[in-house]
Amino acid sequence: MQQAYCPQCGTKLRKKFLENEGQVPYCDQCKDYRFPFFNTAISMIVINQQMDEILLIQQYGRKKNILVAGYLYQGENLETAVKRELAEETGLTPTVIHFNRSKFYQPSNTLMCNFTVVVDGLEDFKVNNEVDRYAWFSRSKAQEAIWPGSLAEEFLLAYLNEKN
C-alpha cells in the first residue's frame, strides 16, 4: 500500500530517485522524501509453564482459532506490546518472551512480529471482551485447530516444526 499524499502538508507525492534507495515518494512542497507508513503488530504463541498446551482464541464473531495478537502503540517496543496485549486479553503475565519471526502481511499493511510466550499463574486467567472463545490445546491439537491458511497457522507451524 503506497501513500499518495504527504502526511505533513497533504500535497500529492511523486516518485523521486534517492541514491541507495531507488524511487521513493517525494513531497515537492516540503522538499522531503516520505517513506511508506505501515502498521506493526505482535502475535503470540502462548504456552503454559509445562510447555504442553497452547492457547488459541476466537474474536469478533469469527469461528476461527487464532493466536493472541495486537497492534503496537506509538513509542512502544515489541516486548512491552506483548506484555500489554497478553495482560489485556487474558490477564496473564509472561515468564518467558522469545522472538520467533516476522512477516509483512499485505492485506492490513502490517509487519507482524511473532513471539513465544510462556505463562504461569493460570489462576489469573480471565479473557476480556475482545475474546469470544478460547481453549488450551495440546501441540498436535493446536496444529489441527488453528485457522488453515492464516498467518497464525504459518507462525504456529514454523514454531512447532522447530521444536520437534
Side-chain angles (χ1 to χ4, degrees), residues 25 48 51 59 71 78 96 98 101 103 110 112 124 128 131 134 140 153 158:
N48 67 349
M51 306 290 286
Q59 292 182 297
Y71 286 97
L78 294 170
V96 175
H98 175 77
R101 66 189 33 80
K103 183 172 182 175
T110 303
M112 292 294 297
D124 297 329
N128 72 2
V131 179
Y134 68 89
S140 61
E153 179 191 46

Side-chain angles (χ1 to χ4, degrees), residues 3-156:
Q3 61 197 45
Y5 297 92
C6 177
Q8 191 72 28
C9 72
T11 300
K12 186 161 179 57
L13 298 173
R14 68 177 176 90
K15 296 283 183 159
K16 183 176 177 181
F17 182 79
L18 178 60
E19 191 173 339
N20 298 320
E21 296 290 342
Q23 295 294 323
V24 177
Y26 183 80
C27 177
D28 288 315
Q29 179 70 33
C30 296
K31 307 282 189 245
D32 207 355
Y33 290 93
R34 300 297 182 197
F35 288 89
F37 286 94
F38 57 91
N39 302 309
T40 308
I42 49 89
S43 74
M44 296 168 254
I45 300 166
V46 178
I47 302 178
N48 67 349
Q49 194 71 34
Q50 294 77 23
M51 306 290 286
D52 62 357
E53 289 189 316
I54 296 171
L55 177 66
L56 298 179
I57 64 170
Q58 294 179 3
Q59 292 182 297
Y60 312 118
R62 298 182 191 120
K63 304 270 190 239
K64 298 173 179 179
N65 290 314
I66 59 172
L67 302 172
V68 175
Y71 286 97
L72 265 70
Y73 292 156
Q74 187 173 355
E76 189 174 44
N77 67 39
L78 294 170
E79 294 80 7
T80 301
V82 166
K83 292 175 188 175
R84 177 184 51 76
E85 283 291 336
L86 183 66
E88 285 175 7
E89 293 189 20
T90 69
L92 297 171
T93 303
T95 58
V96 175
I97 298 174
H98 175 77
F99 176 77
N100 294 326
R101 66 189 33 80
S102 62
K103 183 172 182 175
F104 187 75
Y105 186 64
Q106 184 65 45
S108 64
N109 192 38
T110 303
L111 176 64
M112 292 294 297
C113 303
N114 181 253
F115 292 81
T116 301
V117 178
V118 179
V119 295
D120 197 8
L122 294 183
E123 62 276 356
D124 297 329
F125 183 76
K126 183 176 188 291
V127 295
N128 72 2
N129 61 347
E130 292 180 43
V131 179
D132 298 332
R133 286 173 211 58
Y134 68 89
W136 291 90
F137 294 89
S138 68
R139 291 170 178 257
S140 61
K141 294 292 183 190
Q143 187 172 339
E144 295 170 12
I146 195 83
W147 178 14
S150 67
L151 187 54
E153 179 191 46
E154 186 177 323
F155 284 147
L156 180 62

